Amino acid sequence: MDRYQPETDEEEQETPLLRRGLGDKLQRAPVCGSARYNLALLSSYGFFVVYSLRVNLSVAMVDMLNSTHQSADNHSTSVCPAHSSPARPKHNHTANVYDWDSETQGWILGSFFYGYIITQVPGGYLAGRVGPKWLLGLGILGTVIFTLLTPMAADLGPSYLIAVRALEGVGEGVTFPAMYTMWASWAPPLERSRLLTFSYIGAQLGTVVALPLSGEICFYLDWTYVFYIFGALGLLWFVLWTVFAFDTPNSHPRISERERLYITTSLKNELSTSSGDIPWRSIATSVPLWAIVVAHFSYNWTFYTLLTLLPTYMNDILGFSIQQNGFLSALPYMGCAVMAVIGGQVADYLRETVQVPTVKVRKSFSLIGMIGPAVFLVAAGYIGCDYQLAITFLTISSALGGMSASGFNINHLDIAPSYAGILLGITNTFATIPGMVGPVIARSLTTHNTIKEWQTVFYIAGAINLFGAGVYTLFGRGEVQPWATRTSPTSHRE
């Protein structure tokens, strides 16, 4: 079966692709109306669905809890004075509420990642064998179905809800490895940062939209509609994906010949022509890959801490209502989305026009995207009840994190494009661990919901981020690794 693989960056990208002796043969295809940017748009919608389904529980959780029970446990509704908000409509608020303690909440919020971690490496492997289109499509469809079953599971008990969330994670686990495999066949080297950041901006937009919209849905309807409405959006995406997405440029029936030649020609030097074996030993011993693993794990500790617990922090510490909570929790991710897009444009400009080596671009963007968030996250814990400054610091922290989208986050395609899906599966497996243990640890450290307890949570996240930035700076690389460009199925068998 055909493998799905990409391109090459010639030893640190010292000469732009279009000037490497291919200029007379290779014409850049227009962006407007192109198949590759249509794929970026459609995949962006897909990741919008993925992240809206992932984060909606974080806001809904605030409304799913028995507030009377919570107040009795924590002795006050919030540390800081509550902010005024309009009275909630009384009609239609018929959904059940539950007496879950902090530990149970932590397990529910983290349960998604117990399923998510299982399908990371298999997702990358299967995408290269059966094709990424249907693997990604069916994975998200499965997540949509279990999302629609969430209210029923919650009524049955926390163990059922944990199981359903874990099964959602199983479906979503294949999405990023499958999409990386797809981009290995679709993204020309010098458009890599732009296309991938545009594609994955959907994840940030899903967070930006889902958090405030979930708050409004809870306010005017009830928490069950959060899962029904976003589930319906996911079903619509699946229909569009099955009709308009294709595994490779060569299998796309409507792509122009100019664009097809532009993509396939620009990628030909980065392909591994070995169609059988995967160099597992070389992959497992690759120092540049382990540098990405450490960076990815470290960044995700901060990212998932905020993703799952920011609405709780807004409610329990800063005193924002369910309606205010969603919008304010979305601000950091709005900043992240904007910076990710800007970063992608700047990164490709530096590589192509200024001819900055790929490795320097990746490391510089990773440093900004990891050290900056650590500093502002820790600072947010020391401003007391100054909610304006707290939201500002949290927004800056997350916004700077968006720069890493053009750093270590897409470095897999630089060092081994033919195996990018598998490499992403490996790094994302380790990077999922923070989502599994982070919420549990954070909630166990914040049983009394004091500012000092949350300072500890932010300190841990910041320290891990700094460690990851240091390791990636020392050991990250930007060129295609020798083991990723094997030329025969019988050479270097492992």
Side-chain angles (χ1 to χ4, degrees):
M1 184 172 291
D2 291 342
R3 288 184 52 82
Y4 302 87
Q5 11 192 26
E7 358 76 39
T8 186
D9 262 67
E10 293 261 68
E11 207 58 37
E12 302 299 295
Q13 193 72 45
E14 291 182 352
T15 307
L17 178 69
L18 298 183
R19 299 175 195 163
R20 270 193 234 137
L22 293 172
D24 54 338
K25 304 176 186 176
L26 186 61
Q27 271 193 319
R28 186 187 296 275
V31 169
C32 186
S34 65
R36 64 192 188 281
Y37 277 89
N38 286 341
L39 175 63
L41 180 62
L42 192 56
S43 62
S44 187
Y45 178 16
F47 285 110
F48 173 94
V49 171
V50 162
Y51 265 73
S52 65
L53 299 183
R54 186 183 300 191
V55 307
N56 55 14
L57 180 62
S58 298
V59 176
M61 177 70 76
V62 177
D63 211 39
M64 293 168 73
L65 300 176
N66 186 335
S67 58
T68 303
H69 175 78
Q70 294 298 309
S71 296
D73 282 351
N74 297 328
H75 309 294
S76 66
T77 55
S78 66
V79 173
C80 300
H83 301 269
S84 60
S85 60
R88 294 183 64 169
K90 297 299 182 184
H91 63 283
N92 293 335
H93 287 275
T94 58
N96 292 331
V97 293
Y98 312 100
D99 296 331
W100 296 331
D101 59 21
S102 293
E103 184 179 359
T104 302
Q105 295 171 45
W107 282 108
I108 292 172
L109 290 171
S111 58
F112 170 92
F113 300 99
Y114 285 88
Y116 188 70
I117 197 172
I118 294 173
T119 47
Q120 293 296 315
V121 176
Y125 178 80
L126 289 172
R129 289 290 182 254
V130 303
K133 171 185 173 176
W134 286 108
L135 184 65
L136 188 149
L138 293 175
I140 296 181
L141 178 63
T143 303
V144 168
I145 292 172
F146 285 112
T147 294
L148 295 171
L149 294 175
T150 297
M152 182 189 302
D155 281 342
L156 292 173
S159 59
Y160 289 91
L161 180 56
I162 287 171
V164 164
R165 288 291 292 179
L167 289 171
E168 287 183 40
V170 169
E172 277 198 24
V174 304
T175 54
F176 278 95
M179 200 65 231
Y180 265 63
T181 300
M182 206 162 185
W183 279 125
S185 294
W186 275 97
L190 297 181
E191 295 184 20
R192 197 174 277 160
S193 298
R194 284 190 290 266
L195 282 168
L196 268 74
T197 53
F198 184 63
S199 175
Y200 297 129
I201 196 67
Q204 302 298 337
L205 292 176
T207 305
V208 167
V209 173
L211 288 173
L213 186 55
S214 295
E216 294 295 327
I217 292 171
C218 288
F219 186 82
Y220 288 106
L221 300 172
D222 63 51
W223 63 263
T224 61
Y225 288 91
V226 169
F227 303 100
Y228 298 144
I229 291 172
F230 286 107
L233 290 175
L235 292 175
L236 174 61
W237 171 84
F238 179 73
V239 173
L240 295 174
W241 181 257
T242 58
V243 174
F244 296 109
F246 297 90
D247 284 321
T248 65
N250 287 331
S251 64
H252 197 301
R254 295 178 294 276
I255 189 174
S256 70
E257 183 65 10
R258 178 179 175 182
E259 183 181 10
R260 187 187 68 79
L261 287 175
Y262 166 58
I263 295 171
T264 55
T265 304
S266 68
L267 297 178
K268 66 178 182 181
N269 292 328
E270 295 196 358
L271 295 175
S272 167
T273 58
S274 172
S275 60
D277 296 341
I278 295 171
W280 291 110
R281 186 186 306 163
S282 296
I283 290 173
T285 57
S286 173
V287 174
L289 174 61
W290 284 105
I292 301 173
V293 167
V294 174
H296 202 168
F297 175 95
S298 302
Y299 175 83
N300 270 18
W301 190 286
T302 300
F303 181 78
Y304 285 140
T305 296
L306 290 180
L307 190 70
T308 56
L309 295 175
L310 187 55
T312 301
Y313 180 77
M314 292 285 188
N315 181 74
D316 293 350
I317 301 298
L318 299 181
F320 289 106
S321 70
I322 186 69
Q323 186 182 33
Q324 299 161 328
N325 198 327
F327 174 75
L328 294 174
S329 295
L331 285 178
Y333 301 101
M334 193 178 301
C336 186
V338 171
M339 291 301 289
V341 172
I342 293 173
Q345 299 294 323
V346 173
D348 279 348
Y349 171 80
L350 291 174
R351 294 174 65 219
E352 180 178 7
T353 306
V354 184
Q355 300 184 42
V356 177
T358 299
V359 67
K360 291 185 179 179
V361 172
R362 300 296 182 231
K363 289 182 178 181
S364 298
F365 279 69
S366 296
L367 284 171
I368 296 170
M370 297 181 76
I371 294 177
V375 171
F376 282 95
L377 184 61
V378 171
Y382 283 89
I383 45 75
C385 291
D386 186 341
Y387 68 91
Q388 291 180 330
L389 197 56
I391 293 168
T392 299
F393 280 6
L394 290 170
T395 300
I396 294 174
S397 174
S398 189
L400 290 175
M403 299 297 285
S404 67
S406 296
F408 72 86
N409 223 7
I410 60 172
N411 196 208
H412 317 70
L413 281 164
D414 298 319
I415 66 172
S418 294
Y419 307 104
I422 292 174
L423 265 58
L424 190 277
I426 293 171
T427 66
N428 219 18
T429 296
F430 288 94
T432 299
I433 295 173
M436 297 165 61
V437 302
V440 177
I441 292 175
R443 290 309 281 154
S444 67
L445 291 172
T446 56
T447 53
H448 297 96
N449 279 321
T450 65
I451 292 178
K452 189 172 183 61
E453 287 177 337
W454 281 94
Q455 287 173 352
T456 302
V457 172
F458 293 160
Y459 260 126
I460 292 172
I464 293 174
N465 240 26
L466 293 177
F467 174 74
V471 170
Y472 183 74
T473 300
L474 289 175
F475 301 109
R477 295 293 181 268
E479 73 275 11
V480 178
Q481 299 299 291
W483 50 264
T485 55
R486 296 182 302 158
T487 57
S488 75
T490 57
S491 63
H492 306 297
R493 283 189 180 276
E494 298 178 274

